[in-house]
Amino acid sequence: TRDALLQWLQPKPLRKLGGVGKVTERMLQALGAETIGDVIRLRADVVLAMPGVRSEWLIHRGLGVAPSSLDVHDEGDGVVRRKSISNERTFRDEGSSEVLLKMLKDLCTELAAEMTKEGLAGKTVTVKLKRATFEVVTRAHSGKRWLCAAEEIWDIA
């Protein structure tokens, strides 16, 4: 029941809400909120401190209300259900380019399978590499058409 959901949800710490990170948590704590229930109790202060969509989102989640469908927006080419999909792996330091390329190809295959399952396609492929020195190198390339097959992703990656 709704009451049971609220009894379960409201004593939870703020960070248990997906999307509430350190910054939002600190902002809410400055208002006196420590739990999800406090967001509801202090909702007028939350609206004043975080006007607009953010406060609405927090209050809805604090009440246990989630969207029944994915958010949609139109980028001119049609309706897009989400902004991104990713596939990442952390692995030990690897110096062999052949091994790295095989890992990248496997990631492309896994990503394509997930995209197919979700009915998604994309235009931009981003490859992020963190070196043993913790230096992060990121490269993105956008194609001219929607893609979702492993080979297409691999060609751009």
Side-chain angles (χ1 to χ4, degrees), residues 86-100:
S86 66
N87 195 351
E88 296 182 19
R89 290 293 180 279
T90 301
F91 45 89
R92 62 177 168 67
D93 187 13
E94 180 56 63
S96 166
S97 59
E98 292 83 20
V99 172
L100 288 173

Side-chain angles (χ1 to χ4, degrees), residues 85-90 102-118 148-151 153-154:
I85 185 168
S86 66
N87 195 351
E88 296 182 19
R89 290 293 180 279
T90 301
K102 166 86 169 81
M103 290 177 181
L104 181 58
K105 194 160 205 140
D106 290 346
L107 286 170
C108 291
T109 301
E110 291 171 21
L111 181 61
E114 183 67 20
M115 291 172 73
T116 300
K117 179 179 153 193
E118 297 284 332
C148 64
E151 299 79 28
I153 298 169
W154 170 252

Side-chain angles (χ1 to χ4, degrees), residues 13-17 19-35 38-39 42 45-46 49-50 54 58:
L14 297 167
R15 294 286 296 273
K16 290 293 182 180
L17 282 178
V20 173
K22 291 178 185 178
V23 173
T24 301
E25 179 184 39
R26 276 182 274 184
M27 290 175 70
L28 292 168
Q29 286 172 334
L31 297 174
E34 295 292 331
T35 67
D38 291 339
V39 172
L42 298 167
D45 294 329
V46 171
M50 302 175 188
R54 187 71 177 155
L58 281 165

Side-chain angles (χ1 to χ4, degrees), residues 61 66-73 79-85 114 117-120:
R61 296 313 176 276
S68 59
S69 64
L70 294 171
D71 295 333
V72 297
H73 62 280
V79 174
V80 179
R81 291 186 303 182
R82 65 194 240 189
K83 291 287 281 179
S84 67
I85 185 168
E114 183 67 20
K117 179 179 153 193
E118 297 284 332
L120 299 173

